[in-house]
Amino acid sequence: MPEGDTIYRAARTLHAALAGRVVTRFETVFSQLARFDHEAPVAGRTIERVISEGKHLIIDFSGDLHLRTHMRMNGSWHIYKPGERWRMRHSDMRLVIGTDAWVAVAFNVPVAEFHDADSLARQDDLVHIGPDFLAEEFDFDEAMRRIRARPDEEIADVLLNQRVVAGVGNEYKNEVLFVARVHPFARVADLTDEQLTRILRTARKLMLANVAKRSSARITTFSLDPSQQQYVYARSGKPCRRCGTPIRYAKQGENARGTYWCEKCQA
Ligand SMILES: [Zn+2]
């Protein structure tokens, strides 16, 4: 089975051979790719870059077209001179990308998809998803590393980013930060390791507790009174359960997610 490093080397070889060259020939046995090629031909596009991402090999073409292939067990990419005899059977061929100087052939690749930058980024998120709070063993060190890698971002946004940590939705984001007593608009760079650790431990604790209990309603206060189930979430203007200060509300981040907090408890 090809490991990440094998695919990395394949991508490097393909990049050296193909980058900057114009596609003169494209063939595939995948009907979806063939249909796309019929509508918006790959031939005539320039190959901009070939990279590996984990087990995936991605070929970027001009015109915001990206071909993503997964090697799985038996997939491989070969590079040949035009007219050179292939070292594998024709029946194993899945994709051919020809240029004037080189021909790249994918054999037995089970997964191949075309993407634009947006859909590729969404796929990318799946590949790079951060440590999962609900995993049997939560990787605190990796979560810390990923959070610290975003010093200029606001902590509430960082918690929602599934590439950093997986599993926190908007409600937990607000409740976790209240319980950890951290201001949602604080920049990661301005938070101590102790504060970040408290946030991570709180998130794990609240989320595990809610998975463990039977009812589907989320409870972060651990109160059994249904009207007392959240500290701040969806409580704009209502008194803080700790100090009585009215809960504040603002939209936050690129996606304008609702943020609720107590200015006094989360100073
Ligand atoms: Zn308060």
Side-chain angles (χ1 to χ4, degrees):
M1 172 156 188
E3 284 299 327
D5 58 341
T6 307
I7 297 166
Y8 174 84
R9 280 195 297 273
R12 202 170 50 185
T13 303
L14 288 179
H15 180 82
L18 301 177
R21 295 190 186 278
V22 174
V23 178
T24 54
R25 169 186 173 202
F26 179 79
E27 282 175 45
T28 182
V29 300
F30 294 109
S31 58
Q32 271 185 317
L33 300 192
R35 267 202 303 279
F36 180 95
D37 180 53
H38 184 71
E39 302 283 321
V42 179
R45 294 174 191 259
T46 301
I47 298 159
E48 294 177 338
R49 193 172 67 142
V50 184
I51 55 165
S52 62
E53 291 258 358
K55 298 282 176 73
H56 300 93
L57 188 138
I58 299 167
I59 302 176
D60 296 339
F61 300 92
S62 57
D64 193 18
L65 181 66
H66 311 268
L67 173 66
R68 178 169 170 270
T69 54
H70 195 300
M71 303 295 123
R72 291 270 165 82
M73 300 297 280
N74 301 312
S76 60
W77 277 93
H78 289 191
I79 191 104
Y80 298 106
K81 284 281 181 192
E84 189 182 341
R85 196 187 156 86
W86 295 354
R87 294 188 304 278
M88 290 185 77
R89 285 179 313 214
H90 248 266
S91 57
D92 294 328
M93 181 276 274
R94 299 293 177 267
L95 290 146
V96 177
I97 298 169
T99 69
D100 57 349
W102 299 100
V103 180
V105 187
F107 295 101
N108 297 317
V109 164
V111 180
E113 303 152 345
F114 279 133
H115 289 281
D116 60 19
D118 284 348
S119 68
L120 189 66
R122 283 196 296 276
Q123 294 281 320
D124 210 28
D125 284 345
L126 293 180
V127 177
H128 291 289
I129 199 156
D132 189 333
F133 280 113
L134 293 175
E136 211 159 295
E137 292 197 18
F138 178 71
D139 190 341
F140 277 95
D141 292 341
E142 179 62 14
M144 281 291 265
R145 196 188 63 72
R146 288 180 184 232
I147 292 174
R148 283 290 183 211
R150 296 168 182 271
D152 297 324
E153 295 180 29
E154 293 163 354
I155 186 63
D157 274 343
V158 171
L159 282 182
L160 285 182
N161 187 336
Q162 304 295 301
R163 298 179 69 132
V164 178
V165 282
V168 177
N170 201 44
E171 183 175 340
Y172 278 119
K173 171 199 88 176
N174 286 292
E175 294 292 291
V176 164
L177 290 175
F178 177 84
V179 173
R181 296 188 170 235
V182 172
H183 198 286
F185 289 82
R187 286 166 63 243
V188 167
D190 296 330
L191 295 174
T192 63
D193 280 354
E194 196 245 319
Q195 285 175 306
L196 290 180
T197 302
R198 201 160 68 221
I199 291 168
L200 293 176
R201 289 195 190 289
T202 302
R204 178 146 166 92
K205 191 174 115 189
L206 292 184
M207 293 177 68
L208 284 177
N210 277 283
V211 168
K213 73 184 180 53
R214 282 197 204 90
S215 101
S216 62
R218 286 189 195 120
I219 301 175
T220 50
T221 57
F222 295 101
S223 164
L224 293 177
D225 177 346
S227 68
Q228 303 264 319
Q229 287 179 349
Q230 277 82 26
Y231 285 112
V232 291
Y233 180 75
R235 297 194 63 244
S236 178
K238 296 193 176 134
C240 171
R241 297 195 196 283
R242 271 193 193 135
C243 72
T245 304
I247 298 301
R248 293 190 56 182
Y249 169 79
K251 291 197 190 304
Q252 182 172 14
E254 264 177 40
N255 300 317
R257 302 303 299 273
T259 294
Y260 303 85
W261 75 102
C262 171
E263 196 65 43
K264 196 168 167 196
C265 293
Q266 296 167 262

